[in-house]
Amino acid sequence: VTVHLVGAGPGDPQLLTVRAVELLSTCDVVVHDRLVPAPVLALAPRATRIDAGKRRGGDPMAQHQLNDLLVELGRSSSTVVRLKGGDPFVFGRGGEEAEALDAAGVPYEVVPGISSALAAPMAAGIPVTMRHHASAFTVLTGHEDPTGDTDVDWEAHAATGATLVILMGVAHIEGIAKRLVVGGLDPGTPVTAVHWACTDDQRVTRTDLASVGAVELTPPCTIVVGDVAAFDLSPRLDTG
Ligand SMILES: C[S@@+](CC[C@H](N)C(=O)[O-])C[C@H]1O[C@@H](n2cnc3c(N)ncnc32)[C@H](O)[C@@H]1O
């Protein structure tokens, strides 16, 4: 009996790890979240699927309910996959789930996945580091209201010169952009938003800090801020 906390990558089944595919093809139960697309779930044909993004009544399950569910399943099923978009330990609450399993004495394993923090910039042809442009990149949550209580010191991040990769930032991007400019970034700093990277619904929007607040973006998006966001090194394939 083991609960496997598995990274599903950004959406393209070809970007799963070999270990993830192996576990999906043999598991009894998959508990997945909203961001795991159908082609990835299709790799677990014999498993019972539980959508953790929904509960009766339509609301997502609260984290404590989900932790309890994983403990319960871990005690009653032989192989449980908790499938999370991207990497389980990058803004995925995988840490909380591992802690809950550990506290309950349920064996678990964590299988990393390719985070959207890396895959989404790549899908738009953006190298997050590049000599002479950016020697570091920082992955941040944009979920917190930048005008209210937030742990993210946007002005301080603006001053580092690192590429900023913002997850969950669509709702607050206007306020975030303003704070980055207050922190010293040029209003013309390139900003690229990648919607549903690595899926058939991928859409790339290129703008800058001055204009991003006026651009219509729809979640899920990964938003890249910095000089490198102007690059487009997406594949040039030999089609001849
Ligand atoms: C709760 S976080 C989970 C991140 C995930 N654990 C990871 O490593 O990619 C959800 C956010 O990840 C980003 N995200 C996840 N999948 C994405 C995709 N296919 N394209 C663009 N952004 C994505 C979006 O910012 C979304 O709001």
Side-chain angles (χ1 to χ4, degrees), residues 2-8 23-24 27-36 40-41 44 47-54 61-63 65-74 76-77 79-85 88 92 97 101:
T2 304
V3 177
H4 306 265
L5 303 172
V6 178
L23 284 165
L24 285 170
C27 66
D28 307 300
V29 186
V30 183
V31 183
H32 63 92
D33 58 31
R34 213 170 29 88
L35 290 179
V36 179
V40 174
L41 288 174
T48 304
R49 291 184 198 168
I50 300 176
D51 183 347
K54 277 203 201 125
M61 260 184 222
Q63 189 61 45
Q65 292 173 313
L66 196 43
N67 294 351
D68 291 349
L69 174 70
L70 292 177
V71 168
E72 191 187 308
L73 289 171
S76 58
S77 316
T79 309
V80 180
V81 167
R82 168 68 176 117
L83 191 60
K84 302 169 91 60
E97 293 172 13
L101 291 164

Side-chain angles (χ1 to χ4, degrees), residues 9-12 33-35 37 84-93 113-120 166-170 194-199 219-223:
D12 179 348
D33 58 31
R34 213 170 29 88
L35 290 179
K84 302 169 91 60
D87 182 273
F89 277 4
V90 177
F91 296 127
R93 303 212 177 153
I114 300 179
S115 175
S116 55
L118 291 172
I166 304 168
L167 305 190
M168 300 171 283
V170 168
V194 192
H195 171 75
W196 270 130
C198 306
T199 72
C221 273
T222 293
I223 302 171

Side-chain angles (χ1 to χ4, degrees), residues 154-180:
W154 292 102
E155 290 81 3
H157 285 290
T160 64
T163 301
L164 305 180
V165 181
I166 304 168
L167 305 190
M168 300 171 283
V170 168
H172 295 306
I173 194 61
E174 189 172 4
I176 291 169
K178 282 189 181 139
R179 286 191 56 180
L180 291 173

